[in-house]
Amino acid sequence: PARHFDTSTTEPVSFFLSGLEELLAWQPDTNDDFNVSAVPLARRQPPLRSKRPRTLVCHDMRGGYLEDRFIQGSATRNPYVFYHWRYIDIFVYFSHHTVTIPPVCWTNAAHRNGVPVLGTFITEWTDGERLCEAFLAGGAEAYRAVSEQLARIAQHYRFDGWLVNIENTLSAAAVGNLPPFLRHLTAQVHGAVPGGLVIWYDSVLQNGALRWQNELSEENRVFFDACDGLFTNYNWKEEHLERTRRLAGPRHADIYVGVDVFARGDVVGGGFDTDKSLRMIRQHGLSAAIFAPGWVYEHLGEENFLHNENKFWGSLAEYLPTHSICTLPLTTSFSLGMGTSRFLAGKEEEAGPWYDLSAQEIQPLYPEREGRLSTSCCLQDAWCGGSSLRVQGTIPPGEERVAIRLFSLQMPAPPKLFLTLLYKLEGPQPDEFAVALELTTWDSGTCYEGNITSLPEPNGRHHPRFMPAPPPGLAKLLAACDRGSHGWTSRCYELDLQDCSLRDLSLLVSRHQPSPQETSFTCLLGEVRVLDAASMVASPPQVQSLTASQLWWR
């Protein structure tokens, strides 16, 4: 069927639903298997329900369902990717189709990094009025059928809820049923999807008029009260934020103040001035909804996209609280889910562009310190996948080393950890430097490295012991302990901890000789793993009753 498979290539594709009839007629189909997310939502800290102001990203690009619709990837040169997952809380996939089901590659990439994904339910113009009249103006049965279908769709494709966007005027009968529809939809989504969400876009008022408020007001509050949050329109000023904060009361983190990166209309700041909008939003303790950050790609062009993307998100980092990983194992080769080649074990296996967000790996923090440190993606060389992480920086005069924070962690440390690192030093004198991993722990007073007779580490910094060879029984898993290839260096480490809580994983770059001069370094990271030794020794569960279906040989 054309909905599930591309008519020219027969490849499976992601799709949307148009109109009320298609929504109500939808039911699970055997051709759906490709579209069901295969990656459960990873746990992270703090959880979404915490009262900390959040960051929502609403992805709206050229109507949606572009190269990202190809579920098994495509040979796209310079595609759009998003990878600053550590800095955001919610990802919305937006299009102008009635029911926007997020392409499964986005759900997979977001879930791997702990971010929930919402689809969009939108009605607009005169068609939207007719659609709303059909399901809202009648009795409860009609709107309940719609909310039950939307919840079933989210549950079936394994994404996390809906942004609801009614952008047309409503009759008195229709607007009267809108709050009960939202309450029913929210309850259905919560019941069908663990941690599910329904967010309302600031558009119609309680009298049915279409008038964007750019704030939470007495006119739209009834819709906010019926669901999990409000996404405001973009043309606000500081007084709107003040009134919103007062009216929202304890639910201030459930207000997502809209920021249009394209800066359309009368806005505080978009483009590379988006930080001005975020600063003001955070001063009032509200959440932010960053709309169309694909501006970086669409407006500045695809050629220098990765550089501009790091610059854009780096300019906002001060206003984006980051998230911590709270489960092991942590393992990543930093691949963005795209590349100009494919690499395996440090060797180029296949040249040519590729794009597949489902293959994106866990992404780190991307620390930037003006002139002293930058982290970016390197497409020219990788250990595995399409890219490695390039860390460029300087060691200041008289100092021996510098620590670059890769991941924030928040979990109890197991008694024994194995860590592995694959790296490559570039530049004129790579032999000047040593590279290692550093783990920090929260200062608890009870945390010891090694056994109880050891002294506590000053300020919780632990330098895992280098292991020249893997311990017996783990030779297969940690095969490359002292054996890199194709210019990559491989290292394994172990660390014993007692009553500790993990805090940060950093890359440590040190120079062998202290120097009065500043020294610059460039290091590529190919893979990092943090493993709980106890769970590594246990044999993995056997895979049972494997089947293969939907095969197409070419």
Side-chain angles (χ1 to χ4, degrees):
R3 178 187 283 172
H4 293 89
F5 299 96
D6 184 66
T7 45
S8 54
T9 66
T10 76
E11 291 171 285
V13 287
S14 294
F15 59 85
F16 50 86
L17 302 174
S18 301
L20 196 56
E21 295 72 21
E22 281 196 11
L23 169 60
L24 294 173
W26 176 87
Q27 51 190 0
D29 180 312
T30 51
N31 291 307
D32 272 339
D33 294 351
F34 294 109
N35 268 295
V36 176
S37 171
V39 182
L41 179 60
R43 285 187 22 239
R44 64 191 332 209
Q45 289 288 347
L48 196 60
R49 302 283 176 202
S50 76
K51 286 289 167 238
R52 185 173 87 166
R54 306 173 198 122
T55 307
L56 176 153
V57 160
C58 189
H59 172 64
D60 174 24
M61 186 176 280
R62 299 173 187 157
Y65 301 96
L66 306 173
E67 290 80 8
D68 54 5
R69 75 185 186 280
F70 290 103
I71 295 169
Q72 296 177 337
S74 64
T76 306
R77 196 175 295 281
N78 299 324
Y80 176 73
V81 289
F82 178 81
Y83 49 94
H84 286 81
W85 299 108
R86 299 272 137 244
Y87 301 86
I88 76 164
D89 297 82
I90 300 166
F91 183 87
V92 178
Y93 194 87
F94 184 90
S95 84
H96 289 275
H97 302 289
T98 313
V99 178
T100 299
I101 299 168
V104 65
C105 63
W106 281 105
T107 307
N108 287 339
H111 278 186
R112 190 169 284 124
N113 286 281
V115 176
V117 176
L118 307 186
T120 307
F121 176 59
I122 189 171
T123 68
E124 46 192 345
W125 313 108
T126 47
D127 282 351
E129 283 180 45
R130 281 198 293 272
L131 193 151
C132 289
E133 198 64 19
F135 87 94
L136 284 173
E141 199 179 329
Y143 71 69
R144 282 170 171 251
V146 168
S147 53
E148 282 159 18
Q149 279 293 76
L150 289 171
R152 282 177 70 207
I153 287 170
Q155 181 184 46
H156 179 69
Y157 296 114
R158 298 187 192 159
F159 61 96
D160 306 285
W162 296 97
L163 172 69
V164 178
N165 188 355
I166 306 289
E167 293 211 60
N168 44 258
T169 54
L170 294 174
S171 67
V175 81
N177 273 331
L178 191 48
F181 162 67
L182 280 175
R183 277 194 294 275
H184 189 251
L185 174 62
T186 304
Q188 290 290 312
V189 167
H190 288 183
V193 180
L197 286 170
V198 173
I199 294 176
W200 170 256
Y201 181 69
D202 152 33
S203 49
V204 295
L205 308 183
Q206 61 184 12
N207 64 4
L210 176 61
R211 207 162 60 241
W212 298 269
Q213 299 293 284
N214 305 296
E215 63 180 316
L216 176 66
S217 71
E218 291 296 353
E219 300 291 318
N220 63 16
R221 180 183 186 161
V222 61
F223 309 120
F224 173 60
D225 291 341
C227 68
D228 296 309
L230 170 76
F231 179 149
T232 78
N233 193 45
Y234 313 102
N235 304 122
W236 46 267
K237 293 288 175 277
E238 188 148 25
E239 57 267 26
H240 293 92
L241 302 184
E242 286 163 0
R243 290 194 295 263
T244 295
R245 175 69 207 238
R246 277 199 302 275
L247 199 54
R251 284 191 69 198
H252 57 90
D254 294 335
I255 302 285
Y256 300 86
V257 180
V259 180
D260 180 3
V261 182
F262 278 85
R264 290 163 280 214
D266 183 10
V267 300
V268 172
F272 282 120
D273 288 330
T274 300
D275 59 316
K276 292 177 181 163
S277 294
L278 279 180
R279 182 183 308 126
M280 202 179 281
I281 292 167
R282 298 309 193 204
Q283 280 165 354
H284 292 86
L286 300 169
S287 293
I290 301 173
F291 183 75
W295 170 86
V296 176
Y297 183 85
E298 293 188 68
H299 180 72
L300 301 174
E302 42 195 68
E303 283 303 313
N304 214 12
F305 166 62
L306 294 173
H307 170 78
N308 290 328
E309 182 77 342
N310 288 342
K311 182 181 166 188
F312 175 77
W313 289 98
S315 74
L316 306 182
E318 187 184 339
Y319 308 107
L320 303 175
T322 58
H323 296 81
S324 307
I325 288 174
C326 60
T327 51
L328 293 179
L330 163 58
T331 168
T332 182
S333 66
F334 305 102
S335 180
L336 294 189
M338 51 90 62
T340 50
S341 300
R342 287 180 188 268
F343 294 86
L344 189 61
K347 178 173 174 279
E348 185 183 72
E349 292 274 299
E350 193 180 350
W354 65 277
Y355 172 52
D356 181 0
L357 281 173
S358 290
Q360 188 184 85
E361 301 235 346
I362 293 174
Q363 293 299 305
L365 298 162
Y366 280 85
E368 295 284 328
R369 288 201 284 279
E370 201 56 51
R372 301 210 318 280
L373 173 71
S374 80
T375 42
S376 59
C377 158
C378 171
L379 294 169
Q380 292 74 42
D381 198 356
W383 175 254
C384 181
S387 54
S388 56
L389 188 71
R390 181 189 278 117
V391 181
Q392 289 173 291
T394 56
I395 300 176
E399 301 212 357
E400 277 180 47
R401 62 178 97 168
V402 59
I404 300 103
R405 189 164 162 252
L406 299 175
F407 291 99
S408 165
L409 309 170
Q410 198 172 327
M411 60 186 129
K416 188 181 192 66
L417 287 164
F418 291 130
L419 300 91
T420 69
L421 170 67
L422 274 147
Y423 70 90
K424 184 183 276 195
L425 281 162
E426 294 193 321
Q429 288 151 315
D431 300 342
E432 277 185 45
F433 301 100
V435 177
L437 292 172
E438 176 180 273
L439 265 176
T440 57
T441 50
W442 293 94
D443 190 16
S444 66
T446 62
C447 168
Y448 290 91
E449 185 179 322
N451 56 35
I452 201 79
T453 58
S454 339
L455 291 170
E457 284 288 309
N459 51 22
R461 293 180 179 279
H462 306 276
H463 301 118
R465 290 185 304 283
F466 171 63
M467 294 162 58
L474 289 182
K476 207 166 178 180
L477 187 75
L478 306 179
C481 268
D482 203 14
R483 233 186 30 245
S485 60
H486 301 283
W488 292 88
T489 303
S490 175
R491 292 279 182 266
C492 294
Y493 307 91
E494 60 183 340
L495 180 63
D496 299 306
L497 294 171
Q498 254 188 320
D499 299 327
C500 300
S501 189
L502 300 179
R503 183 178 184 169
D504 285 315
L505 176 67
S506 299
L507 182 73
L508 208 57
V509 180
S510 47
R511 48 185 169 201
H512 298 303
Q513 302 296 322
S515 163
Q517 269 90 45
E518 184 175 84
T519 324
S520 300
F521 64 85
T522 299
C523 179
L524 300 183
L525 289 188
E527 186 186 72
V528 169
R529 296 189 292 177
V530 182
L531 312 169
D532 173 356
S535 67
M536 292 300 107
V537 178
S539 30
Q542 292 297 305
V543 175
Q544 304 286 340
S545 21
L546 188 67
T547 61
S549 61
Q550 301 281 20
L551 300 180
W552 183 269
W553 294 104
R554 292 208 271 186

Short mmCIF file of all heavy atoms in Angstrom, two decimals, residues 175-216:
data_model
loop_
_atom_site.label_atom_id
_atom_site.label_comp_id
_atom_site.label_asym_id
_atom_site.label_seq_id
_atom_site.Cartn_x
_atom_site.Cartn_y
_atom_site.Cartn_z
N VAL A 175 -17.07 24.64 20.90
CA VAL A 175 -16.13 25.11 21.93
C VAL A 175 -16.57 24.64 23.32
O VAL A 175 -15.73 24.40 24.20
CB VAL A 175 -15.94 26.65 21.86
CG1 VAL A 175 -17.07 27.41 22.55
CG2 VAL A 175 -14.59 27.03 22.48
N GLY A 176 -17.88 24.42 23.49
CA GLY A 176 -18.36 23.90 24.78
C GLY A 176 -17.84 22.50 25.05
O GLY A 176 -17.60 22.11 26.21
N ASN A 177 -17.64 21.72 23.99
CA ASN A 177 -17.14 20.34 24.17
C ASN A 177 -15.62 20.24 24.13
O ASN A 177 -15.07 19.15 24.31
CB ASN A 177 -17.72 19.44 23.07
CG ASN A 177 -19.07 18.88 23.46
OD1 ASN A 177 -19.34 18.70 24.65
ND2 ASN A 177 -19.92 18.61 22.48
N LEU A 178 -14.94 21.38 23.86
CA LEU A 178 -13.48 21.31 23.74
C LEU A 178 -12.79 20.95 25.07
O LEU A 178 -11.95 20.05 25.08
CB LEU A 178 -12.95 22.63 23.15
CG LEU A 178 -11.51 22.68 22.72
CD1 LEU A 178 -11.13 21.49 21.85
CD2 LEU A 178 -11.22 23.98 21.95
N PRO A 179 -13.11 21.60 26.20
CA PRO A 179 -12.45 21.19 27.46
C PRO A 179 -12.71 19.73 27.82
O PRO A 179 -11.75 19.00 28.13
CB PRO A 179 -13.02 22.16 28.50
CG PRO A 179 -13.43 23.37 27.70
CD PRO A 179 -13.94 22.82 26.38
N PRO A 180 -13.97 19.22 27.72
CA PRO A 180 -14.14 17.79 28.02
C PRO A 180 -13.38 16.88 27.03
O PRO A 180 -12.87 15.83 27.42
CB PRO A 180 -15.65 17.55 27.95
CG PRO A 180 -16.28 18.81 27.49
CD PRO A 180 -15.27 19.91 27.60
N PHE A 181 -13.28 17.29 25.76
CA PHE A 181 -12.48 16.52 24.79
C PHE A 181 -11.01 16.47 25.24
O PHE A 181 -10.39 15.40 25.25
CB PHE A 181 -12.58 17.14 23.39
CG PHE A 181 -11.48 16.69 22.44
CD1 PHE A 181 -11.40 15.37 22.01
CD2 PHE A 181 -10.51 17.58 21.99
CE1 PHE A 181 -10.37 14.94 21.15
CE2 PHE A 181 -9.48 17.17 21.14
CZ PHE A 181 -9.42 15.84 20.72
N LEU A 182 -10.46 17.64 25.63
CA LEU A 182 -9.05 17.68 26.06
C LEU A 182 -8.84 16.84 27.32
O LEU A 182 -7.83 16.14 27.43
CB LEU A 182 -8.61 19.12 26.32
CG LEU A 182 -8.24 19.96 25.10
CD1 LEU A 182 -7.94 21.39 25.52
CD2 LEU A 182 -7.03 19.36 24.37
N ARG A 183 -9.79 16.92 28.26
CA ARG A 183 -9.66 16.12 29.49
C ARG A 183 -9.69 14.63 29.17
O ARG A 183 -8.89 13.85 29.71
CB ARG A 183 -10.78 16.48 30.48
CG ARG A 183 -10.49 17.72 31.32
CD ARG A 183 -11.45 17.84 32.50
NE ARG A 183 -12.83 18.07 32.07
CZ ARG A 183 -13.34 19.29 31.79
NH1 ARG A 183 -12.58 20.36 31.89
NH2 ARG A 183 -14.60 19.40 31.41
N HIS A 184 -10.59 14.25 28.26
CA HIS A 184 -10.71 12.84 27.90
C HIS A 184 -9.46 12.36 27.15
O HIS A 184 -8.92 11.27 27.43
CB HIS A 184 -11.97 12.62 27.05
CG HIS A 184 -12.29 11.17 26.82
ND1 HIS A 184 -12.14 10.55 25.60
CD2 HIS A 184 -12.72 10.20 27.68
CE1 HIS A 184 -12.48 9.27 25.72
NE2 HIS A 184 -12.85 9.04 26.96
N LEU A 185 -8.98 13.19 26.21
CA LEU A 185 -7.76 12.84 25.46
C LEU A 185 -6.58 12.68 26.42
O LEU A 185 -5.80 11.72 26.32
CB LEU A 185 -7.46 13.92 24.42
CG LEU A 185 -6.13 13.78 23.66
CD1 LEU A 185 -6.09 12.48 22.86
CD2 LEU A 185 -5.89 14.97 22.74
N THR A 186 -6.44 13.62 27.35
CA THR A 186 -5.31 13.57 28.30
C THR A 186 -5.39 12.31 29.15
O THR A 186 -4.38 11.61 29.34
CB THR A 186 -5.31 14.85 29.18
OG1 THR A 186 -5.27 15.99 28.32
CG2 THR A 186 -4.11 14.89 30.11
N ALA A 187 -6.58 11.98 29.63
CA ALA A 187 -6.75 10.77 30.45
C ALA A 187 -6.45 9.51 29.62
O ALA A 187 -5.78 8.58 30.09
CB ALA A 187 -8.17 10.71 31.01
N GLN A 188 -6.92 9.49 28.37
CA GLN A 188 -6.68 8.34 27.50
C GLN A 188 -5.19 8.16 27.22
O GLN A 188 -4.66 7.04 27.26
CB GLN A 188 -7.42 8.52 26.16
CG GLN A 188 -8.93 8.42 26.26
CD GLN A 188 -9.40 7.00 26.55
OE1 GLN A 188 -8.97 6.05 25.91
NE2 GLN A 188 -10.26 6.86 27.53
N VAL A 189 -4.49 9.28 26.92
CA VAL A 189 -3.05 9.21 26.62
C VAL A 189 -2.28 8.78 27.86
O VAL A 189 -1.39 7.92 27.79
CB VAL A 189 -2.54 10.56 26.06
CG1 VAL A 189 -1.02 10.61 26.05
CG2 VAL A 189 -3.09 10.79 24.65
N HIS A 190 -2.63 9.33 29.03
CA HIS A 190 -1.96 8.92 30.27
C HIS A 190 -2.16 7.42 30.51
O HIS A 190 -1.24 6.74 30.98
CB HIS A 190 -2.50 9.70 31.46
CG HIS A 190 -2.07 11.14 31.48
ND1 HIS A 190 -2.40 12.01 32.49
CD2 HIS A 190 -1.34 11.87 30.60
CE1 HIS A 190 -1.90 13.21 32.23
NE2 HIS A 190 -1.25 13.15 31.09
N GLY A 191 -3.35 6.92 30.20
CA GLY A 191 -3.62 5.49 30.42
C GLY A 191 -2.92 4.59 29.43
O GLY A 191 -2.52 3.47 29.76
N ALA A 192 -2.73 5.08 28.20
CA ALA A 192 -2.19 4.23 27.13
C ALA A 192 -0.67 4.28 27.05
O ALA A 192 -0.03 3.32 26.61
CB ALA A 192 -2.78 4.65 25.78
N VAL A 193 -0.08 5.41 27.45
CA VAL A 193 1.37 5.64 27.26
C VAL A 193 1.99 6.05 28.59
O VAL A 193 1.63 7.11 29.12
CB VAL A 193 1.60 6.78 26.22
CG1 VAL A 193 3.08 7.02 26.01
CG2 VAL A 193 0.92 6.47 24.90
N PRO A 194 2.90 5.27 29.16
CA PRO A 194 3.54 5.69 30.42
C PRO A 194 4.23 7.04 30.23
O PRO A 194 4.99 7.22 29.26
CB PRO A 194 4.57 4.59 30.69
CG PRO A 194 4.13 3.43 29.85
CD PRO A 194 3.42 4.01 28.65
N GLY A 195 3.94 8.00 31.10
CA GLY A 195 4.56 9.33 30.97
C GLY A 195 4.01 10.14 29.81
O GLY A 195 4.62 11.12 29.39
N GLY A 196 2.83 9.74 29.27
CA GLY A 196 2.27 10.44 28.11
C GLY A 196 1.90 11.88 28.39
O GLY A 196 1.67 12.27 29.54
N LEU A 197 1.83 12.70 27.32
CA LEU A 197 1.59 14.14 27.46
C LEU A 197 0.62 14.63 26.41
O LEU A 197 0.65 14.18 25.26
CB LEU A 197 2.90 14.91 27.20
CG LEU A 197 4.01 14.91 28.23
CD1 LEU A 197 5.25 15.54 27.62
CD2 LEU A 197 3.59 15.67 29.47
N VAL A 198 -0.20 15.62 26.80
CA VAL A 198 -1.02 16.37 25.84
C VAL A 198 -0.79 17.85 26.11
O VAL A 198 -0.96 18.32 27.24
CB VAL A 198 -2.52 16.03 25.98
CG1 VAL A 198 -3.36 16.94 25.09
CG2 VAL A 198 -2.77 14.56 25.65
N ILE A 199 -0.37 18.58 25.08
CA ILE A 199 -0.08 20.01 25.22
C ILE A 199 -0.98 20.78 24.26
O ILE A 199 -1.16 20.39 23.11
CB ILE A 199 1.42 20.29 24.98
CG1 ILE A 199 2.23 19.64 26.11
CG2 ILE A 199 1.72 21.79 24.93
CD1 ILE A 199 3.73 19.73 25.96
N TRP A 200 -1.53 21.88 24.75
CA TRP A 200 -2.48 22.70 23.99
C TRP A 200 -1.77 23.93 23.43
O TRP A 200 -1.00 24.58 24.15
CB TRP A 200 -3.62 23.14 24.93
CG TRP A 200 -4.55 24.18 24.38
CD1 TRP A 200 -4.57 25.50 24.69
CD2 TRP A 200 -5.60 23.98 23.42
NE1 TRP A 200 -5.56 26.15 23.99
CE2 TRP A 200 -6.21 25.24 23.20
CE3 TRP A 200 -6.07 22.87 22.72
CZ2 TRP A 200 -7.27 25.42 22.32
CZ3 TRP A 200 -7.13 23.04 21.85
CH2 TRP A 200 -7.72 24.30 21.65
N TYR A 201 -2.03 24.25 22.16
CA TYR A 201 -1.44 25.45 21.56
C TYR A 201 -2.40 26.63 21.71
O TYR A 201 -3.60 26.51 21.47
CB TYR A 201 -1.13 25.20 20.08
CG TYR A 201 -0.50 26.39 19.41
CD1 TYR A 201 0.80 26.78 19.74
CD2 TYR A 201 -1.20 27.17 18.49
CE1 TYR A 201 1.39 27.90 19.16
CE2 TYR A 201 -0.62 28.29 17.90
CZ TYR A 201 0.67 28.64 18.25
OH TYR A 201 1.24 29.75 17.68
N ASP A 202 -1.86 27.77 22.10
CA ASP A 202 -2.60 29.01 22.35
C ASP A 202 -3.20 29.54 21.05
O ASP A 202 -2.50 30.14 20.25
CB ASP A 202 -1.60 29.99 23.01
CG ASP A 202 -1.90 31.46 22.77
OD1 ASP A 202 -3.08 31.82 22.67
OD2 ASP A 202 -0.92 32.24 22.71
N SER A 203 -4.51 29.30 20.83
CA SER A 203 -5.13 29.70 19.56
C SER A 203 -6.56 30.18 19.81
O SER A 203 -6.79 31.38 19.93
CB SER A 203 -5.10 28.53 18.57
OG SER A 203 -5.57 27.35 19.19
N VAL A 204 -7.52 29.25 19.95
CA VAL A 204 -8.90 29.71 20.16
C VAL A 204 -9.15 30.05 21.63
O VAL A 204 -8.43 29.60 22.52
CB VAL A 204 -9.95 28.67 19.68
CG1 VAL A 204 -9.89 28.46 18.19
CG2 VAL A 204 -9.80 27.36 20.41
N LEU A 205 -10.19 30.86 21.85
CA LEU A 205 -10.58 31.27 23.19
C LEU A 205 -11.81 30.49 23.64
O LEU A 205 -12.44 29.79 22.85
CB LEU A 205 -10.89 32.77 23.21
CG LEU A 205 -9.80 33.68 22.61
CD1 LEU A 205 -10.20 35.14 22.74
CD2 LEU A 205 -8.46 33.42 23.30
N GLN A 206 -12.19 30.68 24.90
CA GLN A 206 -13.32 29.90 25.43
C GLN A 206 -14.66 30.29 24.79
O GLN A 206 -15.63 29.56 24.90
CB GLN A 206 -13.39 30.00 26.95
CG GLN A 206 -13.59 31.40 27.49
CD GLN A 206 -13.54 31.43 29.02
OE1 GLN A 206 -13.13 30.45 29.66
NE2 GLN A 206 -13.93 32.54 29.60
N ASN A 207 -14.68 31.46 24.06
CA ASN A 207 -15.91 31.82 23.35
C ASN A 207 -15.90 31.34 21.90
O ASN A 207 -16.81 31.63 21.13
CB ASN A 207 -16.15 33.33 23.41
CG ASN A 207 -15.05 34.11 22.68
OD1 ASN A 207 -14.17 33.50 22.06
ND2 ASN A 207 -15.10 35.43 22.72
N GLY A 208 -14.82 30.62 21.50
CA GLY A 208 -14.75 30.06 20.15
C GLY A 208 -14.05 30.94 19.14
O GLY A 208 -13.81 30.52 18.00
N ALA A 209 -13.69 32.19 19.54
CA ALA A 209 -12.98 33.08 18.61
C ALA A 209 -11.53 32.62 18.46
O ALA A 209 -10.93 32.11 19.41
CB ALA A 209 -13.01 34.51 19.13
N LEU A 210 -10.96 32.81 17.25
CA LEU A 210 -9.55 32.49 17.01
C LEU A 210 -8.74 33.76 17.26
O LEU A 210 -8.73 34.67 16.43
CB LEU A 210 -9.37 32.00 15.56
CG LEU A 210 -7.92 31.72 15.12
CD1 LEU A 210 -7.29 30.62 15.96
CD2 LEU A 210 -7.88 31.31 13.65
N ARG A 211 -8.12 33.85 18.43
CA ARG A 211 -7.34 35.05 18.76
C ARG A 211 -6.17 34.64 19.65
O ARG A 211 -6.35 34.31 20.82
CB ARG A 211 -8.23 36.09 19.45
CG ARG A 211 -7.74 37.49 19.21
CD ARG A 211 -8.77 38.59 19.47
NE ARG A 211 -9.26 38.60 20.84
CZ ARG A 211 -10.53 38.43 21.18
NH1 ARG A 211 -11.45 38.20 20.26
NH2 ARG A 211 -10.91 38.47 22.44
N TRP A 212 -4.97 34.64 19.06
CA TRP A 212 -3.77 34.22 19.80
C TRP A 212 -3.51 35.20 20.94
O TRP A 212 -3.50 36.41 20.75
CB TRP A 212 -2.58 34.17 18.84
CG TRP A 212 -2.77 33.16 17.74
CD1 TRP A 212 -2.39 31.85 17.77
CD2 TRP A 212 -3.39 33.37 16.47
NE1 TRP A 212 -2.75 31.22 16.60
CE2 TRP A 212 -3.36 32.13 15.77
CE3 TRP A 212 -3.98 34.47 15.84
CZ2 TRP A 212 -3.89 31.96 14.50
CZ3 TRP A 212 -4.52 34.31 14.57
CH2 TRP A 212 -4.46 33.07 13.91
N GLN A 213 -3.26 34.65 22.12
CA GLN A 213 -3.10 35.49 23.32
C GLN A 213 -1.64 35.80 23.65
O GLN A 213 -1.36 36.76 24.34
CB GLN A 213 -3.74 34.79 24.53
CG GLN A 213 -5.23 34.54 24.37
CD GLN A 213 -6.02 35.84 24.35
OE1 GLN A 213 -6.24 36.46 25.38
NE2 GLN A 213 -6.42 36.27 23.16
N ASN A 214 -0.72 34.96 23.19
CA ASN A 214 0.71 35.11 23.52
C ASN A 214 0.96 35.02 25.03
O ASN A 214 1.96 35.50 25.53
CB ASN A 214 1.26 36.45 22.98
CG ASN A 214 1.01 36.58 21.49
OD1 ASN A 214 1.55 35.81 20.70
ND2 ASN A 214 0.17 37.55 21.11
N GLU A 215 0.01 34.40 25.74
CA GLU A 215 0.13 34.28 27.20
C GLU A 215 -0.98 33.34 27.68
O GLU A 215 -1.89 32.98 26.94
CB GLU A 215 -0.03 35.65 27.87
CG GLU A 215 -1.40 36.28 27.66
CD GLU A 215 -1.55 37.65 28.33
OE1 GLU A 215 -1.13 37.80 29.49
OE2 GLU A 215 -2.10 38.57 27.69
N LEU A 216 -0.90 32.99 28.96
CA LEU A 216 -2.02 32.32 29.64
C LEU A 216 -2.95 33.42 30.11
O LEU A 216 -2.50 34.35 30.79
CB LEU A 216 -1.50 31.50 30.82
CG LEU A 216 -2.57 30.82 31.69
CD1 LEU A 216 -3.30 29.74 30.90
CD2 LEU A 216 -1.96 30.23 32.96
#
